[in-house]
Amino acid sequence: MATTNERDPDGWQARLASRFARMGAVVQDTENDAVAAGVVGAVSLAGAFAGFLVTSPYTSVCIVGFLLSVGYGWVRHQELAAKGVTMAMTVSTVVILSLITVFIFYEAWPILQDRSGQVLGVTVPGLELFTTTAWTPAEGTPRYSMLPMIQGTVLVTIIATAVAGPLGVAAALFISEIAPAPVREVVKPGVEILAGIPSIVYGFIGFTVLSPWASDQFDLVGQGTYLFVGIVVGLMALPTVVSVAEDAINSVPESMKSGSLALGTTDWQAMTTITLPTAFSGVSAAVLLGVGRAIGETMAATVMLRNTPRVAEPLYNVFYGFETLTSLIAANYGSSSGLQKDALFVAGCILFVSVLTLSIGSQLIEERMDHDLGRAE
Amino acid sequence: MSETEPVTNGTERPAETTAGETDERTREAWREYEFAGETKLAVEDLDVYYGDDHALKRVSMDIPEESVTALVGPSGCGKSTFLRCLNRMNDRIGTARIDGSVELDGQEVYQDGVDLVELRKQVGMVFQAPNPFPKSIRDNITYGPRQHGDIDTGLLARLTGRDDSEAADRLVERALRQAALWDEVEDRLDDNAMGLSGGQQQRLCLARCLAVDPEVILMDEPASALDPIATAKIEDLVEELAEEYTVVVVTHNMQQAARISDQTAVFLTGGELVEYDDTGKIFEDPESQRVEDYVSGKFG
Amino acid sequence: MAGAAESTVVREDTSTYEAVAGLTVGLAAILFFLGLAATVDIVSVTGTLAGLGTLTALGLLLVVMGLAVVAFGLASYRGIFPTDPRASAGLVAATLFSGLWFLVGALVGSETLGLGFGGGLAVGLLVGAVGFAATALPREDIGSTLPAGALAVLFGLVFLLGVVGPEWSWSPASFPDSQSVTFFARTIAPFAVILSALVVGWAAAKAYGGFGARGRHLGAYLLVYLNAIAIIAVLVALVAFVVVKGFAPVTESVTVGLGVGPATTIALFGFSYEVVWPVNWPFLMNGASLFTDVTGVFPAIVGTAWLVVGAVLLAVPLGVGAAIFLTEYAEQGRFTRVVEVATNALWSTPSIVFGLFGAAFLVPRFTPQPQKSLLAGMITLGFMLLPLVVITSREAMIAVPDEYRDASAALGVSKWQTIRSVVVPAAMPGVVTGVILGVGRIAGETAPLLLTMGGGSFVGAGQRAKVLDSFQLSLSPPFVTNPELTQATTALPYQLYQVVLTGTGETAGVTDITAFGWGTALVLLAVVLLFYAVGIATRQYFRSKLTYE
């Protein structure tokens, strides 16, 4: 109702006018008390939101007002009230989701402004966070470089993807194409349960078992390696890759596989030459989502890493693990304030933007797959 | 279960028991009948079960080479199941159990050590709904030979001078001409096959099957998803192909069977082969009353 | 195509050959498990194996296996066995082998020959190129056995000749002292054995299938099956490990019998009634205290329970309502598409980002002084759950066939009535399943709690969140307050994090902090997996009952 997809050649003024006219017509057609209840509900909901933002004690009054108007509408005009309430819910969902975006950027802004740098005479906010390599918030001239954490996140993500990508796709093939039915009945929920194990449990196992073992095996100074964090995070991203890739592989029509087999190919040939290429978009979307999970994984990294931000040398040294973007936030938020706290929000923004990009990218790819297969029927 | 013939349903069951005796007689009659050509496929006492369902009951028939054999019958009678036994596509269904014997050129198809790849190369199949691969027309045709290693146009082959592109081009043209599709797609061989019309797609699937050089071609209601014009083209093709290949075609369209086939097998309820004879005989003077009722449209 | 197979559909009898090749695959499997056993020190690299030094024995096996595989290739090439090889082993195999050989060459070049980084790279590229050519150029039977066998033979000889002995170690010079790494034979040797076993096993499986399409099929299936088994093994091992480690601490001094447990007072309308539990389970029923024998996680369980309740109360009505509007009322166009993309994106947004949002947006708003609180934790987790509820509800509602709606509309039933009596009930199974699985996930979520809710490393039983008892009415706005909701508290995952963070629990009466941690992990795992098991079982149940096809 609120939006239309139609392309009106008359320009936006005309569209707006017609929309108002339609709204006016709707108001005209509706009974007065329903309109009043709707207005009261909308106003009090907006009031509640505003009150909450300024921490007013009267927020609860507005909430009660909203509930009363909804209750009245429900009793007298259920049809309209339902539509109104579900619309209000949609709007709140959208508002909440946009608030998240707005707030983490808003909180990150002070340090971006403070640590801006000049490139070719243009002021770039936050440039200094990416041109130095030191994270020293406690020193006289505190430095907040994001680079050590970016290195950590990149290394962990690469290792995790190397684990979760190939193994996940192979497992998805196994579940959807190879496994006999009774085996599938066991493996599929098994993989889902793997997704359910909380990250802090993985982290605890890593912290008490893997980290000491790794230090012993490689004679490391202290505990904590990107390598094993990467492997653990890969294991955690595995179920995401498996289930999304399996959906994609499953959606390849059986008739195409039969067509290949009837020409005398083996099952494996049918999989690699028909099923996987056809499901390619879906499978790559699955891997992208897995990468997103790996980037955002927090607790296993926080618990297993050293939490002293510095650059591992040489840059590919995966045997020493210091800090990732996520563990930086988790480990330092409680004890930080001022610019340091804002720097944590910068880390949050980097995470948010990269995962957002991956997610939208994978959705676009999946859409293309639907399109390729002519999923209109 | 997307395209397997659903097992017989309960309502069709009773007929099988009441008409048992006449069937026994007619079965003897058509078994003595000798067809013109050499026997290509010999089926002996074939039983198929899906779990507890007895989908095909003691079917025996000899299919002569270089001719068109039509399998007709109401839906659920097991004719598609029978067809899929001939190239062992029923192996794909985990619950299917198959007893009996199918011989291709005197070699038992259901025995240990059978090379399914080799079998399906010799016994090709065209499905009910066109199922081209989402690749170019050219790649669809060369798919089989490439998978069998007969043609290699890959990067590595090109680098090492083993490129078979010319042979591939010849193959594409030959197969498309055989399937009467060459003139329509000659100048867009690299377009995606999904962009063709339904009838073209089905002929492409036929061409894809011919490219592997089969000896037998199985067709599972190949025209049921097509319009009348496309259907006519497929029917013409089937008759032409019979000069070189052994064609077995499933159809539920009586007129189609009468038009294109040399001999017709009638499957009726419960997975039984009731009568098998020259097409003319089946349609004009069948031995069995039930077949006469069926072909004249009294039931089914 | 082999000429003999042209006219027959039956393969020649090759049982002897297959038996030998099958035996090689089996040996590779044994080698694989020996390597695994050596990794976890069940087989000691410095000890002995079957009378020989472990490394010598493994080296011998590797050489034998490598030679066997090469022999298969040669025998097939000379036509001794009836095989069906292709012209080349293919690009994929060639790329993988060239990668393996590149690594071998680079390491030998830079370290053994001492040529440094550049020299190592050059040697690596050269060896890699040779590996590529050896795989890609010859016929398939040679191309897929020779590079594989050679790798195993190389590793085997290195162990046999004592180039890498039991006491061997190597520290790359390019690593700074503060970040130095040493590779010991006990770490590297098992890894090399596992790698060779995989490669040789794959080649032997190909030989077993007579190369060609069938050989590739078998080789690939071997690896895919191994992968599936490994994943399941890891899952079982993880869960079993936590159970084994956590069982003793969790079940410490459990007693069953009438009147042994703690007393719960139920107070309603002025009457109060005391229930005494027939079970005393200290780990689940105690809080942290110096005066009890067993310190437990009761406050954390209460915290997790309240978190789940709060998050579900917030997210489910909001999410389902939004899904109804988006699916039934809104025109399917750009707006619904954008909302869909945004909710999907938010579902994959890292939980720590939600934590940051909660800390910035919610924490300062409930009390005069910014303070972490149960309410902030509930709402943050609710926001995390929200996108999932919207996604799964929408999916479930879209899956309800339009015929249902049309049938209802054709009877003159209004739109809302149709939604209420047809669409929502039909979509319910999907929604319920999605919510249960989502709850399982947020129940184990830790990161947002660090920023929004968590307080106290070890919390006494008396300080648990007593939400129900604490509602207070007043005459000044906001009229209803609940101090328990606006206070920091603990939860199971947060408790586990505190175990790692503090490293000691002496002040809270915890004698063995690691055992306490395993106990907490087990309880958390049990809670979360319970949600998952129920969720999956529900889905299975509804699936078997209801299909729209």
Side-chain angles (χ1 to χ4, degrees), chain C residues 305-510:
Chain C
W306 277 119
L307 272 179
V308 167
V309 168
V312 168
L313 281 184
L314 173 70
V316 171
L318 210 54
V320 174
I324 291 178
F325 182 79
L326 287 172
T327 319
E328 304 293 327
Y329 288 118
E331 285 173 49
Q332 304 300 308
R334 198 179 304 157
F335 173 68
T336 50
R337 183 76 197 119
V338 168
V339 173
E340 202 170 299
V341 171
T343 40
N344 277 329
L346 272 158
W347 178 235
S348 42
T349 296
S351 57
I352 191 80
V353 173
F354 278 96
L356 277 177
F357 168 68
F361 180 67
L362 299 171
V363 167
R365 304 210 188 270
F366 298 119
T367 45
Q369 288 299 312
Q371 183 183 337
K372 292 192 214 172
S373 62
L374 179 57
L375 194 56
M378 285 174 172
I379 298 180
T380 309
L381 290 190
F383 286 174
M384 282 189 65
L385 189 57
L386 185 60
L388 179 79
V389 176
V390 176
I391 294 168
T392 49
S393 311
R394 230 169 104 68
E395 264 172 18
M397 285 173 202
I398 289 173
V400 177
D402 274 342
E403 287 81 15
Y404 288 25
R405 297 183 181 92
D406 295 348
S408 180
L411 293 171
V413 178
S414 72
K415 186 153 194 173
W416 169 244
Q417 289 292 339
T418 304
I419 294 171
R420 213 178 59 169
S421 54
V422 175
V423 178
V424 172
M428 220 44 191
V431 178
V432 170
T433 314
V435 168
I436 296 175
L437 291 178
V439 166
R441 191 172 153 202
I442 61 161
E445 199 54 73
T446 322
L449 303 185
L450 303 186
L451 275 56
T452 57
M453 182 188 101
S457 304
F458 297 91
V459 177
Q463 283 147 338
R464 66 174 191 276
K466 285 170 278 194
V467 175
L468 285 185
D469 303 340
S470 312
F471 280 105
Q472 293 162 3
L473 299 175
S474 64
L475 282 175
S476 63
F479 306 112
V480 184
T481 53
N482 188 334
E484 287 290 329
L485 274 180
T486 51
Q487 262 174 18
T489 184
T490 185
L492 280 171
Y494 182 75
Q495 176 74 74
L496 189 53
Y497 176 65
Q498 288 299 324
V499 168
V500 175
L501 195 67
T502 53
T504 171
E506 295 290 336
T507 52
V510 180

Side-chain angles (χ1 to χ4, degrees), chain C residues 142-202:
Chain C
I142 297 291
S144 51
T145 54
L146 193 64
L151 194 74
V153 171
L154 177 74
F155 286 156
L157 285 181
V158 163
F159 296 148
L160 264 187
L161 302 178
V163 179
V164 170
E167 301 305 331
W168 177 89
S169 74
W170 167 58
S171 309
S174 55
F175 286 49
D177 281 347
S178 63
Q179 300 183 19
S180 69
V181 179
T182 309
F183 297 97
F184 296 101
R186 64 190 152 97
T187 317
I188 296 306
F191 179 71
V193 169
I194 292 176
L195 183 71
S196 327
L198 285 178
V199 169
V200 169
W202 169 78

Side-chain angles (χ1 to χ4, degrees), chain A residues 48-120:
Chain A
F49 178 63
F52 186 72
L53 276 185
V54 298
T55 39
S56 156
Y58 289 95
T59 307
S60 59
V61 179
C62 291
I63 293 177
V64 170
F66 171 71
L67 291 179
L68 282 180
S69 62
V70 168
Y72 176 80
W74 197 263
V75 175
R76 297 291 306 274
H77 307 277
Q78 204 181 82
E79 190 77 15
L80 269 175
K83 189 169 179 178
V85 169
T86 54
M87 189 174 94
M89 286 168 168
T90 310
V91 171
S92 342
T93 308
V94 173
V95 167
I96 290 167
L97 304 185
S98 13
L99 273 180
I100 294 176
T101 323
V102 171
F103 255 82
I104 58 165
F105 281 95
Y106 174 75
E107 295 282 333
W109 184 245
I111 192 171
L112 289 178
Q113 221 170 15
D114 189 72
R115 299 298 158 106
S116 53
Q118 300 268 329
V119 177
L120 304 171

Side-chain angles (χ1 to χ4, degrees), chain B residues 41-256:
Chain B
L41 281 159
V43 180
E44 196 67 33
D45 290 336
L46 190 67
D47 281 285
V48 177
Y49 306 84
Y50 294 121
D52 292 334
D53 278 302
H54 201 167
L56 214 54
K57 294 202 185 83
R58 281 191 60 209
V59 172
S60 305
M61 66 189 280
D62 292 346
I63 296 171
E65 68 175 6
E66 287 167 16
S67 65
V68 180
T69 306
L71 312 176
V72 299
S75 52
C77 69
K79 54 193 192 299
S80 286
T81 298
F82 176 78
L83 193 74
R84 290 169 147 263
C85 284
L86 300 181
N87 65 345
R88 288 188 62 170
M89 282 299 277
N90 276 335
D91 291 17
R92 291 271 289 161
I93 303 159
T95 54
R97 189 163 63 81
I98 297 144
D99 287 337
S101 138
V102 176
E103 284 181 2
L104 172 68
D105 289 328
Q107 293 175 83
E108 178 56 51
V109 165
Y110 283 97
Q111 64 169 311
D112 287 342
V114 166
D115 191 349
L116 286 186
V117 171
E118 202 55 46
L119 171 69
R120 288 173 185 166
K121 272 160 81 173
Q122 292 185 27
V123 184
M125 187 164 199
V126 175
F127 293 81
Q128 182 168 7
N131 57 349
F133 304 133
K135 300 169 182 289
S136 72
I137 294 172
R138 187 195 306 276
D139 285 351
N140 263 280
I141 304 288
T142 57
Y143 178 80
R146 273 186 293 134
Q147 294 309 314
H148 299 134
D150 300 338
I151 276 184
D152 195 347
T153 55
L155 180 63
L156 207 56
R158 267 179 276 150
L159 289 179
T160 54
R162 284 195 296 253
D163 190 12
D164 297 320
S165 291
E166 279 176 32
D169 288 344
R170 281 197 303 276
L171 176 77
V172 169
E173 181 170 350
R174 189 211 71 187
L176 285 173
R177 277 192 195 283
Q178 272 184 300
L181 192 59
W182 174 252
D183 296 335
E184 291 162 54
V185 299
E186 186 181 358
D187 44 6
R188 48 175 173 141
L189 292 175
D190 291 312
D191 288 6
N192 195 315
M194 303 304 253
L196 297 174
S197 73
Q200 289 174 325
Q201 287 189 358
Q202 192 61 304
R203 276 178 284 147
L204 178 69
C205 292
L206 180 60
R208 183 174 76 187
C209 165
L210 292 171
V212 190
D213 256 335
E215 292 166 23
V216 180
I217 301 172
L218 310 177
M219 295 181 160
D220 191 355
E221 307 199 19
S224 67
L226 305 180
D227 62 63
I229 297 173
T231 303
K233 281 189 179 159
I234 296 279
E235 286 181 8
D236 290 347
L237 271 172
V238 168
E239 287 183 286
E240 266 172 49
L241 288 173
E243 290 166 15
E244 233 182 298
Y245 303 90
T246 306
V247 182
V248 185
V249 53
V250 165
T251 175
H252 58 243
N253 179 335
M254 289 301 124
Q255 286 73 28
Q256 191 174 59

Side-chain angles (χ1 to χ4, degrees), chain A residues 173-240:
Chain A
L173 261 187
F174 178 80
I175 292 177
S176 112
E177 302 292 302
I178 299 175
V183 178
R184 178 173 28 230
E185 297 299 312
V186 177
V187 178
K188 215 181 151 184
V191 170
E192 272 179 291
I193 284 180
L194 201 59
I197 299 178
S199 68
I200 186 71
V201 173
Y202 279 102
F204 188 69
I205 296 175
F207 173 75
T208 45
V209 181
L210 272 183
S211 289
W213 183 80
S215 293
D216 174 52
Q217 290 285 311
F218 297 103
D219 198 19
L220 306 175
V221 183
Q223 280 184 17
T225 71
Y226 287 135
L227 178 64
F228 283 90
V229 172
I231 291 174
V232 168
V233 169
L235 208 55
M236 298 171 65
L238 191 68
T240 309

